[in-house]
Amino acid sequence: MMVLVVTNGWRQSTRRRRNQIGSQDEAGSTSGTKCKWPICGYGCSACCSVISAWGLVMLAVLGFLFSGNDNLVDPEGEMNKSDKEKTGTACYIAAGMYLATFIFSVWQFKLNTSK
Amino acid sequence: MGSLFRSEEMHLIEMVVQAEAAHATVEELGRTGVVQFVDLNPELNAFQRSYVNDVKRCDELERKLRFFKEQVEKAGLPIAPKTEAGAAATEASSLVQGARRGRRYGGAGAGMAAPADAGGANLDDLEEHFVELEAGLVQLNANQEILDSAANELTELQCLLAQTSVFFDDAGAAGDVFVSQTSALDANGPSASSPLLGTGGRLGESAPGAGTASSRAVQLGYVSGLLEQTKMARFERLLWRATRGNHILRQCTEAVELSDPASGEPVSKIAFIVFFQGARLRTKITKMCESYGANLYETPDTASARQQLLVEVEARMDDLELTLDSAAEQRERVLSVIAASLEDWLDIVNREQRIYHALNLWKSDVSSRALVARAWAPVWGDSQIEAALARGVARSGASVQSFFEVKVTSSPPPTYFVTNKYTAGFQALMDAYGMARYQEANAGVFTIITFPFLFAVMFGDLGHGALLTMFAAILVAYEGRIARIPGRPEMFNMLFNGRYLILAMGVFAMYAGLLYNDCFGFSIDFFGSNWSRPSDGDAHLIDPDRVYPFGVDPGWAGATNKLQFYNSFKMKTAIIYGVTQMLFGVVLSLTNHLYYGNYIDVWTRFIPEVLFLGGMFGYMVILIIYKWVTVIPDPPLILTVMIDMFLKAGSVPAKDEMYSGQGAVQIILVFVLLVAIPWLLLPKPIILWMRKKAAARRAGHSHGGATEALLAPAADGTEPEGDGHGHDMGEIVIHQIIHTIEYVLGTVSNTASYLRLWALSLAHAELSEVILDQVLFRGLKAGSAPLIFAAFTVWALATVGILMIMESLSAFLHALRLHWVEFLSKFGASDGWKFEPFNLDAPVAAE
């Protein structure tokens, strides 16, 4: 029992001293004001938001083209009309999924940047 | 200021500066950044130069600053960025100091003593300040170390006391076992009933030989201390060997975390206590502990004594902590003062260092109490230099005005292109291959358009171009903010420096993508395709008179012969671009010949070169375009037309017939080509040889027996390039033969080299189509949203990784090669040297 008390007392005092010498960050990190939900890091969240934005726009356009039965997306003429409409709807849903990942990764990015 | 086409007109100037004004003058010149000093003491090594002591002093100051920086970084304090105000303040103070110095020198009349002035005085103050700071810091560090090790010792003792109490308690509880064991081993041991360590034997007293009669307990000695955790196992083994097992080692299960006072590294230590018997064992074990670096402490064996010591230690520790805190505070205060102006100091010291390095290039003329410097400078910089010299004299308070004069020299001047942030990237690209000769036609100007263009021919895709443009646009838009980020990675820095180049490349790639009608592998129908493809039959033209207004008709997308069409189209355009660029290069060589006044080269080099290139591949380009714009029933292959033109000269086989009169045109062309080769090879050496003979005859008449050496300068007047005019005739002939062979073979091989435009362009288009079909469309055709979601991510990553990064890099390298070799070799000598002005405001290059 004595051991614990003594050593803990010493450790606290050393830490206190180090914090005074050290930068503000260290003190901040111990009190837990940083990122609350750090699921992905700075680079990862930035990369994900870019890809999600790209996917959102591109799949929305593709969905529009498929639903409109456009020649552009099927120059060989392999798909019939109902297939294309089905694909168009699926594209819209996938675009919605990218909207969700976009919001998520932008939120993560904000968490990572605002310290 | 001149244009970017020819480098700035340069001249060599010689400056004469009074010794006292030298430092201020160099500083002023360094601020204008228009001169490059020439080393006037090439025979001296670095240690023999006049300002070697000042350079050393600067090095020493820099070392001190590095020490400060290290300390500040260790303490985790933020270093203040360089302030503009700081530089201005030092300037102002140096001005004041300089004036003071000047007066002092003037009054004493000791103008020659040492050319110290403003900067020198400023440096003196700094040096004094630094010495004080360093001494203080070293003192503080030493104190800190002493205090830290004292604190560590106290902590260790505290832990030991706390933990050994457990051992002693254990020993008390299991006393019977110990005693019986030890007594069995010990021949003259006392009775078994006596408790272990019954009497208070302090560490020193418990020597076994002196077994006091009053005590009936076993006189066991013990040593206690702390040892690093990693060494514990080895220590234990050695202990066993040394005592042959006659000991009891107790160690704590929990390690204590401490930090090493000297290095600051964290160490984990374990408290231990060894019980043994005998004086010899004591010395042995103590020595072992020492060699293992264990810290030994005396611990009393009674609980009350231990408790007392513990209280004492805690009291001392509290005192020590107060001292430590105040010491740390003081240290932090000192360091934060240093951190506030560290960057400014570094800047000042660096500037001084560079000034003294520049001064070391000057020649001191002791007799006239003046320093002489030579420097290359652009002609337009004269007024700036004059003003800088005047400011230098005014600042140092020297009595004699400095002056400069233009020197005539035979050595080639440096090449100096004044670029802005847009052109700098392109110019750097061409300079990397070889610096243009002084005032030679600069390939960098044309690169600004042709480089992104050739890149785009290979990278043509609307979508990929747009991504590239967006990336570069972000770099350009935030260039101010990015430039301020310190410690950018090398790779990113390269991209950042070439941001305008990338922007141009991206925009051009978008344009080429529109022409190819390619966007991520899709074809976009902007204006309505001219082809109709019913599902049950062959495709047919809707309106034979209508032409798709811009770029390639989207009807080609999905056609079975799409690849055949693009193949022929891209190969032919590659040849057209290549021949055009090479012909343009040859025309640039004409501007060089005219500019340097080499009229002989116009007749003996430029004209046969144009005839050869134009006669062979120029004709081919005309045939290509002719075949595109006219309707020929059963059109011939252009390649066979070209081959038959040489093999069956004079007659045109029926299958090669493209237009009437083809035979006559082709026989003339073959004749021209055959004439162009000897024309390129022979006349120049013959003309030079005849001129030389005539000159020798004239010289012989006037002087009667003139030597060859006398002729050379006279001839050089008319032939500035005339390498070898006064030299051996054989050299000229060999030079001409090499040039001729190089040009004739190069015409064919360089044209073939431009076919890489075709190959890379096709590869890029095919690759993007394959990735689109195999990845994204697989997901799309399945028609389920999660699959599409996954397929898009894979497709996006493949697009960025393979098409954007790898392909753009390869297209970049091929475009670079086409400019360096195929284009530049037509006109550039590339044997100049770069003008690197002495500029104090430019960022410091690593020395």
Side-chain angles (χ1 to χ4, degrees):
Chain A
M1 206 50 212
M2 194 65 198
V3 182
L4 282 173
V5 170
V6 170
T7 48
N8 278 355
W10 169 249
R11 275 184 203 162
Q12 272 165 12
S13 58
T14 34
R15 193 182 301 145
R16 200 177 72 220
R17 212 169 68 226
R18 283 205 193 115
N19 279 351
Q20 281 166 357
I21 300 169
S23 59
Q24 288 296 314
D25 288 5
E26 203 184 332
S29 69
T30 47
S31 55
T33 51
K34 219 178 161 184
C35 192
K36 265 184 206 156
W37 298 96
I39 292 162
C40 44
Y42 179 81
C44 173
S45 56
C47 178
C48 286
S49 8
V50 170
I51 288 186
S52 306
W54 184 8
L56 173 61
V57 173
M58 187 136 167
L59 288 177
V61 170
L62 279 177
F64 175 75
L65 292 175
F66 272 106
S67 322
N69 195 12
D70 200 289
N71 265 338
L72 172 71
V73 287
D74 183 30
E76 286 95 348
E78 287 168 350
M79 296 165 84
N80 59 35
K81 201 167 181 238
S82 67
D83 270 355
K84 278 190 180 175
E85 270 163 11
K86 195 179 135 208
T87 304
T89 321
C91 276
Y92 282 133
I93 296 169
M97 289 159 85
Y98 272 113
L99 180 65
T101 55
F102 178 71
I103 292 167
F104 172 76
S105 42
V106 165
W107 169 58
Q108 283 292 315
F109 185 74
K110 285 250 168 87
L111 278 186
N112 274 298
T113 43
S114 62
K115 271 181 187 169
Chain B
M1 304 218 181
S3 68
L4 199 55
F5 182 54
R6 305 231 175 248
S7 65
E8 302 299 326
E9 207 178 320
M10 309 293 285
H11 56 194
L12 186 69
I13 57 168
E14 186 169 281
M15 288 169 272
V16 181
V17 179
Q18 207 187 343
E20 300 92 81
H23 185 280
T25 306
V26 170
E27 198 174 349
E28 288 297 338
L29 285 174
R31 214 164 275 160
T32 56
V34 289
V35 293
Q36 179 176 12
F37 292 113
V38 177
D39 193 354
L40 290 178
N41 320 301
E43 73 285 354
L44 297 181
N45 65 30
F47 300 103
Q48 293 167 327
R49 299 192 176 233
S50 15
Y51 289 91
V52 60
N53 285 331
D54 299 281
V55 171
K56 270 190 203 154
R57 204 158 64 129
C58 288
D59 285 344
E60 176 64 15
L61 288 182
E62 212 188 350
R63 186 200 60 75
K64 285 198 172 79
L65 285 175
R66 274 203 305 272
F67 169 70
F68 293 160
K69 196 170 187 178
E70 211 173 85
Q71 293 293 319
V72 170
E73 276 167 0
K74 221 176 186 179
L77 292 174
I79 295 173
K82 207 155 67 179
T83 51
E84 300 301 321
T90 51
E91 198 176 302
S93 78
S94 79
L95 266 173
V96 173
Q97 299 248 352
R100 213 172 58 211
R101 275 289 161 115
R103 270 203 300 282
R104 200 200 299 168
Y105 273 116
M112 206 37 232
D117 58 50
N122 195 21
L123 212 57
D124 284 340
D125 291 350
L126 270 186
E127 192 172 19
E128 227 169 86
H129 193 45
F130 287 175
V131 167
E132 271 171 34
L133 278 177
E134 194 190 22
L137 211 54
V138 166
Q139 182 75 37
L140 279 175
N141 280 352
N143 286 347
Q144 184 82 29
E145 203 169 301
I146 291 168
L147 286 175
D148 270 347
S149 57
N152 258 14
E153 267 172 29
L154 281 180
T155 326
E156 287 183 357
L157 182 54
Q158 197 179 27
C159 295
L160 192 66
L161 282 173
Q163 297 188 347
T164 44
S165 70
V166 183
F167 302 151
F168 283 112
D169 292 349
D170 277 2
D176 293 345
V177 186
F178 277 121
V179 172
S180 61
Q181 278 177 353
T182 44
S183 57
L185 286 165
D186 194 5
N188 50 355
S191 72
S193 61
S194 60
L196 177 72
L197 306 167
T199 53
R202 282 200 84 121
L203 203 62
E205 309 159 14
S206 56
T212 46
S214 61
S215 165
R216 297 203 307 124
V218 182
Q219 292 293 325
L220 281 186
Y222 60 91
V223 169
S224 58
L226 280 97
L227 183 65
E228 274 179 46
Q229 196 172 21
T230 48
K231 291 179 181 170
M232 205 62 203
R234 273 181 293 149
F235 177 69
E236 205 174 331
R237 215 175 308 135
L238 193 69
L239 199 63
W240 179 266
R241 285 198 195 131
T243 62
R244 301 200 181 116
N246 278 336
H247 72 280
I248 298 163
L249 172 71
R250 283 308 187 94
Q251 43 178 308
C252 192
T253 45
E254 197 193 340
V256 195
E257 301 294 335
L258 293 167
S259 70
D260 190 33
S263 64
E265 299 288 311
V267 283
S268 56
K269 290 191 167 183
I270 282 190
F272 68 91
I273 184 161
V274 188
F275 298 100
F276 54 85
Q277 195 182 21
R280 276 179 47 214
L281 268 186
R282 166 178 296 281
T283 49
K284 243 189 204 176
I285 290 171
T286 316
K287 270 185 189 156
M288 271 171 54
C289 290
E290 273 166 15
S291 70
Y292 270 82
N295 296 333
L296 297 182
Y297 300 94
E298 294 177 6
T299 43
D301 51 8
T302 59
S304 59
R306 281 202 300 272
Q307 195 57 43
Q308 200 183 335
L309 190 58
L310 201 58
V311 170
E312 209 175 293
V313 164
E314 261 167 31
R316 268 160 63 194
M317 201 127 91
D318 283 345
D319 292 347
L320 195 60
E321 199 147 300
L322 281 177
T323 328
L324 268 172
D325 280 351
S326 71
E329 243 168 60
Q330 196 186 349
R331 203 175 114 89
E332 201 183 338
R333 230 176 9 245
V334 172
L335 283 179
S336 61
V337 167
I338 291 175
S341 40
L342 188 63
E343 286 294 320
D344 287 337
W345 288 343
L346 262 175
D347 194 42
I348 293 169
V349 170
N350 271 330
R351 282 171 83 99
E352 289 298 323
Q353 209 167 13
R354 288 157 79 190
I355 287 170
Y356 285 120
H357 272 299
L359 276 173
N360 269 336
L361 302 177
W362 291 29
K363 202 171 192 110
S364 56
D365 190 349
V366 182
S367 59
S368 66
R369 293 160 54 166
L371 292 176
V372 180
R374 280 194 185 190
W376 286 105
V379 171
W380 48 258
D382 281 357
S383 57
Q384 289 182 49
I385 295 168
E386 209 166 334
L389 288 178
R391 279 201 303 274
V393 171
R395 262 181 51 186
S396 61
S399 47
V400 182
Q401 285 297 316
S402 312
F403 63 91
F404 77 94
E405 54 182 358
V406 177
K407 284 276 165 191
V408 181
T409 173
S410 60
S411 55
T415 312
Y416 180 31
F417 294 116
V418 179
T419 53
N420 56 28
K421 64 182 176 181
Y422 186 79
T423 55
F426 297 95
Q427 189 61 51
L429 219 56
M430 294 317 283
D431 290 351
Y433 185 66
M435 207 56 210
R437 181 180 284 183
Y438 176 61
Q439 300 224 309
E440 178 175 76
N442 177 20
V445 182
F446 306 104
T447 317
I448 294 171
I449 295 301
T450 56
F451 187 86
F453 181 78
L454 288 192
F455 171 84
V457 167
M458 292 180 269
F459 196 72
D461 188 301
L462 184 59
H464 300 153
L467 290 180
L468 202 62
T469 310
M470 257 150 54
F471 172 68
I474 289 169
L475 287 186
V476 170
Y478 293 102
E479 63 181 7
R481 230 196 277 177
I482 295 171
R484 280 197 296 274
I485 299 173
R488 283 164 288 160
E490 180 80 5
M491 194 63 209
F492 178 77
N493 238 354
M494 260 166 60
L495 290 176
F496 182 64
N497 290 338
R499 58 194 181 278
Y500 288 101
L501 184 77
I502 299 173
L503 185 67
M505 277 158 40
V507 172
F508 276 71
M510 280 165 71
Y511 176 71
L514 282 174
L515 284 179
Y516 293 159
N517 211 337
D518 246 345
C519 179
F520 293 124
F522 295 105
S523 285
I524 302 172
D525 196 351
F526 288 106
F527 306 103
S529 173
N530 215 19
W531 291 86
S532 137
R533 194 145 16 99
S535 51
D536 51 346
D538 279 348
H540 59 85
L541 273 173
I542 296 167
D543 177 6
D545 293 330
R546 181 175 171 264
V547 175
Y548 191 74
F550 183 82
V552 175
D553 193 311
W556 286 104
T560 46
N561 59 347
K562 179 189 179 186
L563 189 59
Q564 271 167 298
F565 165 70
Y566 272 101
N567 198 21
S568 141
F569 164 67
K570 285 182 174 172
M571 180 167 24
K572 284 170 179 167
T573 48
I575 295 287
I576 294 172
Y577 298 146
V579 172
T580 312
Q581 194 181 25
M582 286 192 295
L583 261 178
F584 181 61
V586 176
V587 172
L588 284 180
S589 81
L590 172 69
T591 69
N592 274 346
H593 298 325
L594 293 177
Y595 188 81
Y596 289 127
N598 293 341
Y599 298 110
I600 182 175
D601 280 348
V602 176
W603 295 106
T604 60
R605 277 173 75 163
F606 169 70
I607 290 182
E609 280 176 5
V610 167
L611 286 179
F612 192 77
L613 184 61
M616 195 187 289
F617 290 107
Y619 178 59
M620 191 170 167
V621 167
I622 291 169
L623 285 187
I624 289 171
I625 296 172
Y626 179 77
K627 192 177 156 185
W628 274 343
V629 297
T630 52
V631 181
I632 306 168
D634 193 16
L637 282 174
I638 284 171
L639 197 62
T640 45
V641 174
M642 290 302 293
I643 292 170
D644 288 346
M645 174 172 130
F646 293 103
L647 293 184
K648 298 170 186 158
S651 66
V652 179
K655 67 175 166 62
D656 292 348
E657 185 83 41
M658 288 178 83
Y659 59 95
S660 57
Q662 194 179 352
V665 170
Q666 288 186 354
I667 191 86
I668 293 169
L669 283 176
V670 171
F671 177 73
V672 165
L673 290 177
L674 288 179
V675 168
I677 296 171
W679 186 352
L680 191 57
L681 179 65
L682 296 174
K684 191 180 175 184
I686 292 171
I687 291 170
L688 289 181
W689 181 68
M690 277 166 52
R691 274 194 193 171
K692 193 176 154 190
K693 274 220 139 175
R697 236 192 341 267
R698 253 183 286 127
H701 283 307
S702 54
H703 298 294
T707 55
E708 294 253 319
L710 274 170
L711 299 173
D716 264 345
T718 55
E719 278 290 320
E721 200 205 350
D723 50 340
H725 202 75
H727 305 289
D728 193 14
M729 205 58 213
E731 207 174 293
I732 300 174
V733 174
I734 289 173
H735 205 82
Q736 198 63 25
I737 290 174
I738 291 174
H739 177 78
T740 307
I741 294 174
E742 205 176 348
Y743 187 83
V744 170
L745 294 183
T747 303
V748 180
S749 73
N750 289 354
T751 308
S753 192
Y754 276 97
L755 289 177
R756 72 188 65 224
L757 294 174
W758 158 56
L760 265 96
S761 171
L762 264 192
H764 184 86
E766 282 302 299
L767 208 56
S768 60
E769 213 180 304
V770 164
I771 291 176
L772 186 73
D773 276 350
Q774 295 301 316
V775 181
L776 190 57
F777 266 83
R778 288 231 165 160
L780 286 171
K781 277 173 185 160
S784 89
L787 257 179
I788 293 175
F789 180 84
F792 179 81
T793 300
V794 175
W795 175 79
L797 291 177
T799 298
V800 170
I802 298 172
L803 294 171
M804 295 299 296
I805 296 176
M806 278 166 57
E807 278 277 291
S808 72
L809 201 62
S810 97
F812 180 90
L813 290 177
H814 282 287
L816 195 59
R817 185 228 140 92
L818 287 177
H819 280 87
W820 278 355
V821 180
E822 274 74 21
F823 179 50
L824 197 57
S825 69
K826 296 288 175 290
F827 63 95
S830 300
D831 57 355
W833 59 288
K834 194 177 182 175
F835 177 66
E836 283 162 331
F838 173 69
N839 190 349
L840 282 175
D841 295 329
V844 196
E847 278 179 57

